Amino acid sequence: MCGFPAPTDTVTARQPRGQERAITGNRQTNWAFADAFVAEDEALRWARDRAREAGLRSVSPGTGAALGMLAATVDAKAVAEIGTGTGVSGIHLLHGMRSDGVLTTVDPEPERQQFARTAFRAAGFAGNRARFIPGRALDVLPRLADGGYDLVFCDGDRTEVLDYLAESLRLLRPGGLVCFEGVFADGRTVDSGPQPAEVLRLRELLRAIRESQDLVPSLLPVGDGLLCAVKR
């Protein structure tokens, strides 16, 4: 077991009081407001439409805004992204990065990267601001430079997240950030019932990051869960 409380445990059964009741009782409303708070431009909306047509799940506006803020916080010049998709998360990352920063983005589907190229251009980013590498992440990441990145964003195959973590720790400079999207898995991560392999790997990832002496972690309740950690 990963150590996360089951829905019937006393920690979740405790009755909230006062203002806490107002917050937890309207959690879905709060999340919706966090997404509505973000003003996304036409390029982002276009990229979201392409993702929807392709049956892909994009990061939520709130998650995208958090990624941009985190990239700005570390003054990111070099960012690696696992899972280009149609460019939604990439646009948010680029907005937060330095004006001379370069996003290296990896995806096994080159046609999706073509959508992202178009979206980045529509968002006003020069062609040299992004490096697109088609291929499986675990084949590409070993070719990237040790300690050469300020932030690594992981939104790829959930069964490979522990391998992504190991590669990210190698790629990041001290003080750099690693972020994992979708760690709530639509609530399945804390569900006590039988779960598929990808959810079991997410539980292992959460435990590994929480217990690591080399990381300072935080689990942000935006979108489907954004797990972040700073490399000491």
Side-chain angles (χ1 to χ4, degrees):
M1 295 295 292
C2 69
F4 296 102
T8 55
D9 288 352
T10 55
V11 67
T12 54
R14 180 177 60 84
Q15 292 298 314
R17 296 192 295 262
Q19 184 64 23
E20 185 183 358
R21 180 184 295 112
I23 294 171
T24 58
N26 295 283
R27 185 171 296 159
Q28 295 298 329
T29 301
N30 294 337
W31 285 350
F33 179 69
D35 282 340
F37 177 78
V38 181
E40 293 196 327
D41 59 20
E42 184 177 347
L44 274 166
R45 292 192 295 271
W46 183 89
R48 285 191 182 282
D49 288 343
R50 302 294 79 74
R52 192 176 303 111
E53 291 167 359
L56 300 176
R57 183 171 179 172
S58 302
V59 299
S60 72
T63 300
L67 289 172
M69 181 269 293
L70 291 169
T73 298
V74 297
D75 193 28
K77 183 176 181 180
V79 172
E81 178 185 46
I82 300 171
T84 308
T86 57
V88 176
S89 53
I91 290 176
H92 280 290
L93 287 165
L94 285 165
H95 277 309
M97 294 170 64
R98 290 169 42 168
S99 60
D100 61 344
V102 176
L103 173 69
T104 298
T105 183
V106 181
D107 199 286
E109 303 293 340
E111 61 271 20
R112 296 176 188 171
Q113 293 187 319
Q114 287 301 114
F115 285 130
R117 286 179 190 274
T118 301
F120 290 177
R121 187 165 55 249
F125 298 110
N128 62 358
R129 293 293 310 279
R131 177 170 61 146
F132 294 89
I133 305 179
R136 180 172 171 264
L138 295 181
D139 294 332
V140 174
L141 296 178
R143 307 203 303 263
L144 304 183
D146 293 6
Y149 292 84
D150 305 298
L151 189 154
V152 179
F153 173 56
C154 305
D155 189 15
D157 186 340
R158 289 175 178 173
T159 64
E160 298 179 341
V161 290
L162 292 172
D163 296 308
Y164 297 162
L165 175 61
E167 286 294 329
S168 297
L169 292 177
R170 179 185 63 79
L171 293 173
L172 286 170
R173 63 166 173 81
L177 268 167
V178 60
C179 301
F180 288 85
E181 156 66 3
V183 295
F184 291 164
D186 294 318
R188 292 177 297 166
T189 303
V190 294
D191 192 322
S192 59
Q195 298 297 337
E198 66 176 39
V199 174
L200 300 181
R201 294 293 85 74
L202 287 173
R203 289 177 177 175
E204 293 178 33
L205 173 73
L206 285 157
R207 183 168 57 242
I209 288 181
R210 184 178 59 186
E211 296 177 355
S212 174
Q213 299 300 306
D214 299 320
L215 297 168
V216 180
S218 181
L219 178 53
L220 305 183
V222 292
D224 197 26
L226 185 66
L227 177 62
C228 305
V230 177
K231 180 181 176 180
R232 292 184 185 276

